[in-house]
Amino acid sequence: MSEGLNRDYQVCEEIGRGRFGTVSRCFSPESGDFFACKSIDKRLLTDSIDRECIEKEAKIMQLVSGNPNVVQIFDVYEDDSYLHMVIELCESSDLYDRISKRTFSETEAAAVMSPLMEAIAHCHRLGVSHRDIKPDNILFDVRNRLKLADFGSADLFHDGRSMNGIVGTPYYVAPEVISGRDYGEKVDVWSAGVILYTMLAGIPPFYGESATEIFEAVLRANLRFPTRIFHSVSPMAKDLLRRMICKDVSKRFSAEQVLSHPWITNGGEARSMTDLT
């Protein structure tokens, strides 16, 4: 354990575990507050790509910190064996836990989508694409405020620089990522659209028995709204879904355009499609 970390914080019980390390609750005697400490065991990083992602994560979190809907990073400590990031503690259930229990009304879904898209738009303005938007990475603090977390797959795209590499999670990944070509930040909008669909329908729009089958369904991008599931979902919500889960990247909405869509600005309240004109 880093000397600096032990000097400034009391590291308590483990509350999570990942491929390269653990997340523990920690306490600051100086402030009297609890935080989360993400500890990466650098000895488990067997290739240069993993090392680069871990180093980039701390830098990107420092860049995007400051937005109320992004998990904040407070301190970074590093020694020969570990990288420790002291971040905001979010102890409420994550969105995955909430989605797995029930479907959402349109107003409930909009209450999630609005701050999520604010967080994504904030990152995009800074030239950061999250690249792994999924319910597991959408946390809530004790006041039930949404916090976008886990920037381990994030990358920079500013100055005309595109991104590449297959990252993300099968159900939520955009088709251009799977296809292996260069892509831009709108991959995050696709993923957020899949989350919106899943909140309203209780099932993802593209699925299969294996990762390969899911990828094939995503590449076909045949977006459907089964009547038995979507009979009570408004035309305006479906319109937004079509604009977010759009295979043609040039026609897919940006994060800012999503925030300006009437379904978002009306808080998911049903309005007529004439509001879109």
Side-chain angles (χ1 to χ4, degrees), residues 9-195:
Y9 296 92
Q10 295 172 4
V11 179
C12 308
E13 74 277 13
E14 181 182 312
I15 55 176
R17 182 171 284 270
R19 190 156 59 111
F20 299 123
T22 59
V23 180
S24 304
R25 186 197 307 268
C26 66
F27 175 72
S28 167
E30 183 179 335
S31 70
D33 295 320
F34 282 94
F35 301 88
C37 178
K38 185 173 183 177
S39 299
I40 307 297
D41 187 341
K42 295 195 291 186
R43 294 164 296 186
L44 298 176
L45 306 176
T46 54
D47 61 54
S48 58
I49 295 174
D50 288 337
R51 270 192 295 276
E52 183 184 345
C53 287
I54 295 302
E55 290 169 3
K56 192 182 288 182
E57 180 180 5
K59 292 175 183 174
I60 285 178
M61 285 197 72
Q62 288 170 321
L63 176 62
V64 299
S65 265
N67 184 279
N69 298 120
V70 174
V71 166
Q72 306 297 295
I73 186 168
F74 298 99
D75 284 302
V76 178
Y77 302 91
E78 187 170 10
D79 56 31
D80 291 339
S81 301
Y82 283 91
L83 173 69
H84 305 284
M85 291 179 279
V86 178
I87 58 178
E88 196 171 357
L89 179 64
C90 297
E91 294 194 279
S92 294
S93 57
D94 61 30
L95 186 59
Y96 177 83
D97 185 59
R98 299 181 184 195
I99 282 180
S100 64
K101 291 176 179 174
R102 62 182 182 86
T103 56
F104 284 49
S105 70
E106 291 190 42
T107 51
E108 288 172 331
V112 171
M113 286 304 295
S114 183
L116 173 60
M117 294 312 302
E118 289 282 2
I120 293 172
H122 166 72
C123 293
H124 289 182
R125 285 191 291 268
L126 293 170
V128 172
S129 177
H130 186 283
R131 299 204 301 171
D132 195 18
I133 302 289
K134 60 181 178 180
D136 320 49
N137 290 337
I138 298 167
L139 310 181
F140 298 89
D141 68 11
V142 290
R143 298 180 185 176
N144 206 36
R145 290 177 299 197
L146 181 145
K147 303 282 182 174
L148 180 59
D150 197 344
F151 285 79
S153 298
D155 202 359
L156 302 170
F157 64 85
H158 54 70
D159 300 327
R161 177 179 175 269
S162 59
M163 298 171 287
N164 54 59
I166 298 179
V167 297
T169 303
Y171 286 118
Y172 305 95
V173 69
E176 62 267 29
V177 176
I178 303 169
S179 69
R181 64 180 188 268
D182 288 355
Y183 51 84
E185 74 279 7
K186 286 186 181 180
V187 297
D188 293 338
V189 176
W190 173 284
S191 302
V194 173
I195 289 174

Side-chain angles (χ1 to χ4, degrees), residues 207-247:
Y207 46 87
E209 294 299 316
S210 65
T212 301
E213 287 186 9
I214 297 167
F215 285 153
E216 289 170 352
V218 170
L219 284 169
R220 286 194 296 272
N222 185 12
L223 184 64
R224 293 177 176 174
F225 301 108
T227 305
R228 64 183 178 81
I229 297 174
F230 279 87
H231 63 90
S232 61
V233 175
S234 70
M236 191 174 288
K238 294 175 190 173
D239 179 80
L240 179 56
L241 284 167
R242 288 189 189 97
R243 295 170 188 269
M244 296 178 74
I245 311 174
C246 177
K247 189 174 183 180

Side-chain angles (χ1 to χ4, degrees), residues 193-208:
V194 173
I195 289 174
L196 174 56
Y197 186 106
T198 307
M199 284 193 288
L200 295 174
I203 57 170
F206 314 111
Y207 46 87

